[in-house]
Amino acid sequence: ITDQSKQEAKMEKTLIKLADSWSGVDFKFDSYCTKDGVTDGEDAEPGDTGSRVWIAKMGDDDFEMLEEHQMAVQNMFASRFLATFEAEAIYWQKSLANVNEVSQLFSEVQRSWQFLEQLFVGSDEVKKELPEESEKFVDIDQVVREILEKCYSVRGAKDFCNEDGM
């Protein structure tokens, strides 16, 4: 019974640490000036020829913590005393897996979007040479901007990466 109490107390402490840690993990944001020719008043800087959007990224320390916390949760599943905290452990396993997957995919989407935005929005020559693809990009551009705005308003990595549809 004493061993079980110690193990359960350790698990409870780990779960509290996870909740405390991830409540304070926000994406870091860098301003990006688009090539759409719209100049936003407040955010505009001299020489801007486009609107500003916020590019999100997780810090290196946050990724290290993510890996550490995923390992801690995995270790809970190896314990024979998991039953008391199984639902919470499953919640954290899924939440952290979503943070890992969504943040990596989101980073790739943002990089690709920035590259394509320069081509399809910033280059009249590309628009003339690839009119159909340019039209398709208009819809993609809209969706990416909406996701970027949502990320900027939510800010919390765990919250954003676990939103429905992400």
Side-chain angles (χ1 to χ4, degrees):
I1 293 178
T2 305
D3 188 40
Q4 181 176 350
S5 298
K6 286 180 184 177
Q7 291 298 321
E8 287 178 354
K10 184 178 175 183
M11 280 188 207
E12 185 174 25
K13 187 177 178 181
T14 299
L15 291 168
I16 290 169
K17 179 182 175 184
L18 290 172
D20 288 347
S21 296
W22 284 96
S23 68
V25 177
D26 290 341
F27 281 104
K28 314 297 185 257
F29 294 94
D30 290 326
S31 180
Y32 174 75
C33 182
T34 64
K35 307 300 179 217
D36 59 10
V38 176
T39 305
D40 291 334
E42 282 179 26
D43 295 333
E45 294 180 8
D48 280 354
T49 58
S51 56
R52 293 219 165 261
V53 295
W54 295 99
I55 301 297
K57 62 182 176 184
M58 274 186 62
D60 292 338
D61 291 345
D62 295 332
F63 263 116
E64 286 178 26
M65 183 178 73
L66 173 62
E67 290 173 352
E68 177 186 312
H69 287 172
Q70 283 182 303
M71 186 62 74
V73 171
Q74 195 60 39
N75 288 339
M76 285 183 185
F77 283 96
S79 173
R80 61 185 175 157
F81 305 113
L82 174 66
T84 305
F85 301 105
E86 188 171 8
E88 285 181 80
I90 289 170
Y91 165 81
W92 280 106
Q93 183 183 44
K94 289 178 180 178
S95 293
L96 296 177
N98 285 345
V99 169
N100 188 23
E101 185 175 355
V102 170
S103 62
Q104 288 182 14
L105 288 172
F106 191 43
S107 180
E108 278 299 312
V109 166
Q110 290 177 104
R111 270 194 295 277
S112 297
W113 172 78
Q114 285 176 296
F115 174 77
L116 293 171
E117 195 263 346
Q118 290 181 18
L119 283 178
F120 289 114
V121 177
S123 171
D124 289 333
E125 185 176 324
V126 171
K127 287 179 191 176
K128 289 176 189 171
E129 293 291 323
L130 302 168
E132 289 178 20
E133 288 80 359
S134 293
E135 280 300 312
K136 287 180 187 176
F137 183 76
V138 170
D139 293 333
I140 294 167
D141 183 54
Q142 175 82 29
V143 170
V144 171
R145 286 173 188 251
E146 288 171 5
I147 293 169
L148 290 170
E149 285 177 26
K150 184 173 192 162
C151 183
Y152 188 72
S153 67
V154 172
R155 296 196 178 252
K158 182 180 78 67
D159 296 334
F160 176 75
C161 293
N162 285 281
E163 288 260 337
D164 288 338
M166 282 300 132

